Amino acid sequence: MRFQGTLQNKKELRMSQDSSVYTKLVAITEDYLGSSAQKLVDLQITNHLHKKPEKVNQNDLYCLNDWLIAVLALLTDDRKKLSEYSRRLSRLIVITEPENNPK
Amino acid sequence: MINRAYEEEHARAEALFQHIGTGAIATDELGRIYRVNDAALDMLEYKRKEMLGEWFPRVVIEVDQTGNITNQLERPIARAFVSGKPISENTYYRTKTGKIIPVSLTISPILLNGRPIGAVEVFQDITVEFEVDRMKTEFISIASHQLRTPLSAINTYANMLNSGFYGELNKEQKTHMGTIIQAIERMNGLISTLLDVSQLEAGKISVKPQKLEVCGLIRSLIQDHQQTGGNRNIQIKVICPHVPVIVTCDRLLLGEIYSNLLSNALKYSRENGVVEVKLKNLKNEIVFSVKDNGYGIPKKMQRYIFKKFYRADNIKRIDTTGTGLGLYLVKQIADVLGGKVWFESVDKKGSTFYFSLPKDPQTL
């Protein structure tokens, strides 16, 4: 499934321009976990990466995303929702690459 | 060759899993069950084909004592994925036929190169242990009630004797009466604690919330505990906000928590020590802390400190009169009030115990 032209895509593109990896992570997770999202993201970063939440960077997402998906997988059995969340998180890794990257 | 080694390893793991003696369930990273042993099937009353491939939360249903389903984010499996560490605790499962069984479980995430690829849970039915514990609590409750009545009479007459109601006592008699009265007070305190524990465990404790000013409560408790430190010259430093801090809570239960933490800090402080009592007024909660520079809790014993009748080895050598019920009681009351209790401690340097309480119980 492609995101181009969807509301989600616009939201993520906007986020990529004006916010940090952390903010984007929380915003995406909020769509699935509601108000618990920030607390969960904070705990996952602190526990698994041993750093302050706002210090999370793009490289961290490779490991962190698996932990976030594992928790959502215990809250919903909706495979579609899970793969959508997983896809949005993976997309975040690409979107947040530095702008001066020649790619 | 590699295949053979893999097959052998797999066979060993399978045999271990199947015959471990407790229930065992393994899931993949999406919470799907891919392995379950006979003991787990027996306890949860499912057939193997009903569990394999199923979503863990759908067939392994965690409930509270009354049968209400636990919030999924609070389940041990979710907390294991959040913390990345094994979680062990006692809880209840609802079986396929609707029976509620108490279980003791340990669940651990399975990691590959630091990333989660599933979880494995081992658990056992502890119905018998629960029943024994319930009977023990009931016995303690009855015995405590029966002890209190004669003790009241002893207390009354000892105090009358001591005050000279039946004639003046000489110096030696006064000293012995003082010892008797102190022992009665200790026994009274112990009986009260035992009764509190049995009431809490039986779910019979009633919470009577009222608006109360916490700094005033703390100061009055400190006054009550002035003698707890004995003649060891322990200074109590109080740091409270300058404005009144109002919460809605049961005065007696909150006082019981503060009192226990304060009394421990005073009892286990060293001579000429300082006990710092602090109250932080945050937006939605208040955090009470008591810091001492006493003996501290050795690291390997810290995980047991809120368990019933548990006393750390270093303290057992110093004070032989404790029961190991104080912190257990604090934890139980904290749960009833919707608060949280935790601590930081360094062996031989001291401990700080914290208790946070929501200002308004409705925000729980």
Side-chain angles (χ1 to χ4, degrees):
Chain A
M1 189 193 294
R2 298 181 69 196
F3 281 95
Q4 279 176 359
T6 66
L7 193 64
Q8 258 172 10
N9 192 28
K10 283 178 188 165
K11 183 180 170 186
E12 278 157 31
L13 282 172
R14 194 175 61 247
M15 286 190 307
S16 74
Q17 288 157 2
D18 60 14
S19 48
S20 65
V21 173
Y22 171 70
T23 316
K24 290 168 201 161
L25 208 52
V26 173
I28 291 175
T29 308
E30 261 172 8
D31 289 345
Y32 301 88
L33 290 176
S35 57
S36 312
Q38 186 173 6
K39 194 176 171 191
L40 179 76
V41 170
D42 286 2
L43 282 170
Q44 298 277 48
I45 296 170
T46 319
N47 290 336
H48 304 305
L49 304 172
H50 310 291
K51 53 163 72 178
K52 287 184 177 171
E54 61 276 13
K55 301 269 181 198
V56 70
N57 62 45
Q58 199 184 337
N59 287 334
D60 296 327
L61 297 180
Y62 289 97
C63 168
L64 187 65
N65 289 357
D66 288 348
W67 287 105
L68 287 165
I69 292 160
V71 172
L72 184 68
L74 295 169
L75 303 180
T76 177
D77 190 25
D78 186 339
R79 287 285 178 114
K80 222 168 126 186
K81 210 179 211 182
L82 279 172
S83 59
E84 182 192 88
Y85 181 55
S86 165
R87 206 167 44 240
R88 288 178 73 191
L89 291 179
S90 311
R91 198 175 145 75
L92 199 56
I93 299 176
V94 182
I95 285 177
T96 51
E97 276 178 354
E99 279 177 13
N100 58 2
N101 189 329
K103 272 206 285 189
Chain B
M1 194 68 181
I2 292 169
N3 267 352
R4 173 80 184 156
Y6 172 79
E7 278 170 15
E8 280 181 9
E9 195 50 45
H10 186 266
R12 280 191 200 101
E14 185 63 32
L16 179 67
F17 195 87
Q18 286 304 333
H19 307 295
I20 195 170
T22 58
I25 300 173
T27 73
D28 64 15
E29 73 278 17
L30 296 179
R32 297 272 164 193
I33 296 169
Y34 68 86
R35 196 176 271 183
V36 55
N37 71 3
D38 291 344
L41 294 169
D42 282 349
M43 278 185 264
L44 297 171
E45 303 184 292
Y46 281 103
K47 291 191 172 67
R48 190 174 300 277
K49 63 179 182 193
E50 290 173 320
M51 285 193 87
L52 284 179
E54 246 321 327
W55 187 44
F56 183 85
R58 183 170 294 126
V59 282
V60 185
I61 301 164
E62 189 182 333
V63 293
D64 64 16
Q65 206 169 354
T66 55
N68 296 319
I69 294 179
T70 309
N71 177 328
Q72 293 297 336
L73 263 181
E74 286 167 13
R75 290 191 63 162
I77 186 169
R79 284 187 283 123
F81 276 126
V82 171
S83 67
K85 290 176 184 157
I87 304 271
S88 297
E89 65 183 37
N90 294 346
T91 184
Y92 295 89
Y93 278 162
R94 192 169 74 200
T95 68
K96 185 186 166 189
T97 60
K99 201 166 80 185
I100 294 171
I101 53 165
V103 293
S104 173
L105 65 84
T106 295
I107 188 152
S108 175
I110 307 169
L111 305 183
L112 184 66
N113 300 325
R115 295 160 83 150
I117 57 163
V120 62
E121 171 171 314
V122 289
F123 64 104
Q124 57 184 337
D125 185 341
I126 50 167
T127 305
V128 175
E129 288 87 340
F130 256 53
E131 185 54 16
V132 169
D133 203 51
R134 193 195 59 76
M135 286 163 71
K136 202 168 63 187
T137 304
E138 200 174 284
F139 169 75
I140 289 172
S141 172
I142 293 167
S144 307
H145 272 295
Q146 297 303 321
L147 282 171
R148 180 160 268 184
T149 317
L151 195 63
S152 298
I154 297 170
N155 190 29
T156 308
Y157 286 107
N159 276 296
M160 284 166 80
L161 279 168
N162 195 41
S163 62
F165 190 83
Y166 297 109
E168 275 309 304
L169 303 182
N170 65 33
K171 202 176 163 191
E172 196 182 357
Q173 288 168 331
K174 265 211 167 271
T175 309
H176 294 323
M177 278 314 296
T179 311
I180 291 171
I181 289 170
Q182 269 181 13
I184 293 169
E185 280 167 5
R186 272 214 310 275
M187 196 181 275
N188 233 335
L190 174 64
I191 290 172
S192 298
T193 307
L194 287 171
L195 281 171
D196 285 347
V197 167
S198 54
Q199 279 195 318
L200 272 165
E201 288 183 346
K204 284 182 189 162
I205 205 109
S206 63
V207 182
K208 297 183 185 95
Q210 62 179 106
K211 285 215 180 298
L212 56 101
E213 204 282 301
V214 189
C215 293
L217 174 69
I218 291 171
R219 285 181 205 284
S220 78
L221 287 171
I222 287 173
Q223 212 147 32
D224 295 347
H225 281 90
Q226 288 296 347
Q227 300 306 316
T228 311
N231 50 7
R232 287 175 297 136
N233 189 31
I234 295 162
Q235 193 195 332
I236 306 177
K237 195 170 148 193
V238 187
I239 305 170
C240 264
H242 296 298
V243 289
V245 179
I246 312 289
V247 294
T248 306
C249 189
D250 186 299
R251 188 184 182 88
L252 280 178
L253 295 179
L254 185 62
E256 187 76 37
I257 290 180
Y258 289 175
S259 186
N260 264 295
L261 296 179
L262 185 61
S263 140
N264 277 354
L266 288 165
K267 263 197 294 189
Y268 303 130
S269 275
R270 292 170 197 274
E271 210 166 318
N272 301 317
V274 178
V275 167
E276 186 184 281
V277 179
K278 198 191 272 184
L279 184 74
K280 270 192 186 171
N281 187 13
L282 305 177
K283 195 179 164 199
N284 295 320
E285 60 178 9
I286 54 165
V287 181
F288 171 84
S289 63
V290 187
K291 182 180 178 184
D292 66 62
N293 52 1
Y295 303 94
I297 306 160
K299 204 165 177 62
K300 63 177 183 184
M301 292 168 187
Q302 292 186 0
R303 58 189 292 209
Y304 305 110
I305 212 69
F306 292 110
K307 291 212 179 298
K308 191 160 55 170
F309 296 119
Y310 185 80
R311 301 189 73 217
D313 288 348
N314 58 339
I315 289 307
K316 273 195 270 188
R317 285 191 291 269
I318 296 156
D319 170 24
T320 52
T321 60
T323 58
L325 285 171
L327 286 175
Y328 172 74
L329 199 61
V330 165
K331 176 77 175 71
Q332 298 299 309
I333 298 175
D335 289 347
V336 169
L337 295 179
K340 277 184 196 147
V341 58
W342 70 101
F343 66 93
E344 291 158 1
S345 187
V346 180
D347 192 14
K348 299 186 179 73
K349 294 213 166 150
S351 310
T352 306
F353 277 83
Y354 300 88
F355 172 62
S356 71
L357 179 76
K359 282 183 182 170
D360 183 353
Q362 285 170 349
T363 63
L364 290 176

